Amino acid sequence: MEKIRCLIADDEPIARQIIENYIKDIPYLELVTTCKNAFEVMEVLQKEQIDLLFLDINMPKFSGISLLKSLAKKPEVIITTAYPEYAIEGFELAVTDYLLKPFSLERFLQAIVKVQQKLKTTPVSNTQPITVNKENEANSLFVKSDKKIIKLNFDEIYYVEAYGNYIKIYTDTMILTPQTLTEFLTKLPNNFLRIHKSFAINFNHLKLIDGNQVRLGNNKIVPVGKSYRKELIKQIEE
């Protein structure tokens, strides 16, 4: 079957690389090229058949939204951005999906399925389902820190601390990323347990409970909130 020809537009090399890797995992996607800014995108669209554009919003000189408004004819578009505030405007411009960085391979694939439906294409094989290697994906996620996008394996995380509108993720180092603790916990497996209004731990690293605090495998001490202690003990007894 004919492949979906893709173009990536993002000024961050790591972000481009992540999407490139995701594209490689899906057999009916073909990456034509990558662009660092909107002007490169316009040049490629004039020369190449592009079915799907992965478009960052915050690019130098000319934003992704401005690019969309300037195109008389455009391919299917999936916006990839760290800024949720442009979602309404994006969908008003008929984008197929809006992916907030960092996004998982699973969420990426959901967006591709929407593109498939709009293009009325089918996978390479009509008799077998799409298979994507998600062995590593099930055990990890990507987080944004400063201008970097970092892949974290869940078992590397000892605990997470709320820090205003940010969280501190403690592995062998500390990573600061812009999201709330409540939001982050929805992305984690069941072995992560909130034990304080400001702390959640990886239960697999728990070594000792001592009164109103716990010790983890990296010898860090984390406080236990009074209202959370009952649930912590319950988890141990199960």
Side-chain angles (χ1 to χ4, degrees):
M1 290 291 177
E2 187 175 353
K3 292 190 175 185
I4 299 174
R5 290 169 56 83
C6 304
L7 171 63
I8 300 170
D10 200 307
D11 62 324
E12 295 185 357
I14 295 177
R16 293 197 301 270
Q17 186 62 57
I18 289 170
I19 298 174
E20 284 185 43
N21 291 339
Y22 284 174
I23 287 173
K24 290 176 183 177
D25 280 329
I26 302 176
Y28 55 91
L29 297 185
E30 176 186 349
L31 178 61
V32 177
T33 189
T34 64
C35 298
K36 303 183 189 69
N37 58 61
F39 300 108
E40 291 181 2
V41 173
M42 289 187 282
E43 185 177 353
V44 172
L45 291 178
Q46 290 176 353
K47 297 178 180 179
E48 298 280 355
Q49 175 197 333
I50 300 297
D51 303 310
L52 173 57
L53 170 61
F54 295 98
L55 181 63
D56 185 27
I57 295 286
N58 188 23
M59 292 189 294
K61 298 182 180 180
F62 205 61
S63 74
I65 292 294
S66 297
L67 172 64
L68 288 179
K69 291 178 178 178
S70 72
L71 296 176
K73 182 179 179 182
K74 56 181 177 286
E76 298 301 321
V77 177
I78 295 175
I79 289 179
T80 60
T81 181
Y83 302 95
E85 60 265 29
Y86 297 102
I88 294 176
E89 189 172 8
F91 284 115
E92 287 176 347
L93 292 168
V95 303
T96 303
D97 210 339
Y98 195 99
L99 301 183
L100 279 176
K101 301 175 182 176
F103 48 85
S104 67
L105 177 58
E106 181 178 9
R107 180 65 183 90
F108 180 85
L109 184 56
Q110 290 172 0
I112 298 303
V113 169
K114 293 180 183 179
V115 173
Q116 267 191 292
Q117 293 170 346
K118 293 186 72 173
L119 294 177
K120 296 183 179 179
T121 59
T122 57
V124 174
S125 171
N126 288 324
T127 58
Q128 295 182 350
I130 303 167
T131 56
V132 178
N133 184 3
K134 296 176 64 179
E135 180 180 352
N136 294 330
E137 183 64 27
N139 298 312
S140 64
L141 83 170
F142 289 93
V143 296
K144 186 171 184 178
S145 182
D146 194 13
K147 294 185 178 181
K148 300 175 182 177
I149 297 176
I150 302 170
K151 184 174 184 178
L152 285 177
N153 293 326
F154 293 135
D155 58 8
E156 294 175 340
I157 302 172
Y158 291 101
Y159 68 100
V160 185
E161 179 184 0
Y163 190 70
N165 291 325
Y166 289 76
I167 55 171
K168 296 178 180 179
I169 304 171
Y170 291 88
T171 60
D172 289 334
T173 60
M174 189 277 287
I175 298 168
L176 183 68
T177 186
Q179 55 187 302
T180 65
L181 180 57
T182 299
E183 178 187 1
F184 188 61
L185 284 173
T186 65
K187 304 173 185 177
L188 300 177
N190 293 334
N191 55 291
F192 284 83
L193 180 66
R194 193 165 193 163
I195 62 169
H196 187 280
K197 67 179 182 179
S198 298
F199 293 91
I201 64 169
N202 184 342
F203 195 77
N204 293 340
H205 289 301
L206 177 62
K207 297 298 182 183
L208 173 70
I209 300 176
D210 183 8
N212 62 349
Q213 59 186 23
V214 298
R215 184 186 298 273
L216 303 177
N218 60 347
N219 287 322
K220 292 293 185 180
I221 302 297
V222 180
V224 179
K226 184 177 180 181
S227 60
Y228 294 89
R229 181 178 170 80
K230 183 177 179 180
E231 180 62 26
L232 174 61
I233 299 301
K234 180 181 176 182
Q235 290 293 327
I236 294 172
E237 293 176 344
E238 286 182 352

